[in-house]
Amino acid sequence: MANTGYLIYVYQDINRNSPTYGQTKEEKQYDTEFCGLDTPNWVETGRYCEMESDGFQTGYIIIEYTDENPDSSTYGQTKEERSVDNVTCPVSSRDPEWIVDIDSPAYCETKTYEPSGAIGNSGMQVVTVVDSNQYSPTCGTTQQQKVENLVACPVPDTNPNWVEESRSCHIIKAGNGIMFDGRMDVIQRDKNEYSSSWDTTRTIQESDAANCPPSDTSPEWQYDSSYCETDSEGKNTGYAVITEKDVNPLSDTFGSTQTSTRYDTSLCPLPPPEPEEPEEGETT
């Protein structure tokens, strides 16, 4: 029977003249010092995080208790309580933890630049990483990862490098010929093997009236023929009709003619005056 902590006092009536002579009575008084409780007194004596055999924390905390009541039937024994405590005992991750493997040097990734086929950096650095999480199924294994690193692995300049190859005066069609217009045609070739336009050419035009003066397109009238103007009687009037032809092939009027008149009695002499007829009765 387990102690309740109460001390029982038994009294007997020894007065022979008392009507209760020889009878007894009891009094109960709480006294754990004399009648200690025999219920266990569980006191925490330690705590730790629950782990699996490989050291993986499960997220549970184990609290250990020891019965310190010498009157208890379980005195000196221990027990454990298990409860979730992700703050004190966070669950260990089985996800890989990749860190740079210092024993494996990093290197720059290269690529082929078209159309030249030149090899150059891509701007990415290849590093070897190792899984450092002891709870990960891939712990200790390595793999390669690419990270952008334009400092360690600078990419080549891909802008075209136009280099002049030749130059000539720009020619345009005008009238029935061709002419210079004051511009220079400059042919350039891309010499950058990393450029997408490598080894192609382009033509740019520069103003250069000094070396490519614009051709004259104004009409160049030259004498073609002439004749004397006559009146209704077929006599010279003293005027010469002159025909001129445009001989400049760059002119818009090339090949056409124009006429002009000029009073020129040396070229078209006037006929002599006719003699006057004598008056009647006058003899010559």
Side-chain angles (χ1 to χ4, degrees):
M1 182 179 294
N3 288 341
T4 65
Y6 285 90
L7 178 65
I8 306 297
Y9 292 89
V10 180
Y11 300 91
Q12 187 178 31
D13 185 2
I14 59 174
N15 185 356
R16 292 180 180 274
N17 298 318
S18 170
T20 59
Y21 169 72
Q23 296 181 18
T24 59
K25 69 174 183 177
E26 295 180 355
E27 286 184 1
K28 183 170 67 172
Q29 185 177 358
Y30 193 70
D31 188 345
T32 56
E33 183 177 354
F34 188 78
C35 298
L37 295 173
D38 56 5
T39 55
N41 180 23
W42 297 107
V43 177
E44 181 181 331
T45 54
R47 58 176 57 202
Y48 58 91
C49 294
E50 182 184 64
M51 294 184 181
E52 295 182 0
S53 59
D54 60 357
F56 181 86
Q57 290 189 175
T58 63
Y60 285 85
I61 190 169
I62 305 298
I63 303 176
E64 185 179 81
Y65 299 92
T66 301
D67 183 3
E68 297 185 352
N69 184 5
D71 296 319
S72 170
S73 60
T74 57
Y75 172 68
Q77 297 182 19
T78 60
K79 70 174 183 178
E80 293 180 347
E81 289 184 356
R82 178 175 179 264
S83 59
V84 176
D85 189 344
N86 281 319
V87 176
T88 307
C89 301
V91 177
S92 301
S93 173
R94 294 191 184 276
D95 295 332
E97 294 179 7
W98 300 106
I99 62 173
V100 175
D101 184 2
I102 60 175
D103 295 326
S104 300
Y107 61 91
C108 295
E109 180 191 59
T110 59
K111 73 173 187 177
T112 302
Y113 286 81
E114 299 295 345
S116 71
I119 305 298
N121 289 339
S122 68
M124 304 297 289
Q125 188 179 44
V126 181
V127 296
T128 302
V129 293
V130 58
D131 183 6
S132 62
N133 184 3
Q134 60 178 325
Y135 307 118
S136 169
T138 58
C139 178
T141 61
T142 60
Q143 66 178 25
Q144 291 183 328
Q145 294 180 351
K146 287 189 270 187
V147 293
E148 186 178 59
N149 190 337
L150 298 178
V151 176
C153 303
V155 297
D157 182 11
T158 57
N159 292 315
N161 177 27
W162 297 108
V163 177
E164 181 178 320
E165 288 194 335
S166 64
R167 56 174 53 214
S168 59
C169 292
H170 185 65
I171 298 175
I172 62 173
K173 185 176 180 180
N176 291 279
I178 56 176
M179 60 168 285
F180 297 155
D181 65 353
R183 294 180 294 172
M184 182 79 74
D185 287 337
V186 180
I187 298 178
Q188 300 174 329
R189 186 177 297 273
D190 183 8
K191 296 293 187 178
N192 184 4
E193 62 181 351
Y194 298 107
S195 169
S196 60
S197 59
W198 173 77
D199 205 35
T200 60
T201 60
R202 71 175 184 179
T203 301
I204 64 172
Q205 293 176 346
E206 298 177 353
S207 295
D208 193 349
N211 292 308
C212 301
S215 302
D216 185 8
T217 59
S218 59
E220 184 180 346
W221 298 108
Q222 288 187 359
Y223 174 80
D224 183 62
S225 63
S226 63
Y227 61 91
C228 293
E229 182 185 65
T230 59
D231 58 15
S232 59
E233 295 178 356
K235 298 178 180 179
N236 287 346
T237 64
Y239 285 91
V241 179
I242 302 172
T243 302
E244 296 176 320
K245 188 175 184 178
D246 183 5
V247 296
N248 184 359
L250 303 181
S251 170
D252 292 338
T253 58
F254 171 70
S256 61
T257 60
Q258 66 178 11
T259 59
S260 61
T261 58
R262 182 177 74 225
Y263 191 73
D264 188 346
T265 57
S266 62
L267 182 63
C268 297
L270 294 172
E274 295 182 0
E276 294 182 359
E277 293 182 0
E279 293 182 2
E280 188 176 342
E282 183 180 353
T283 61
T284 58

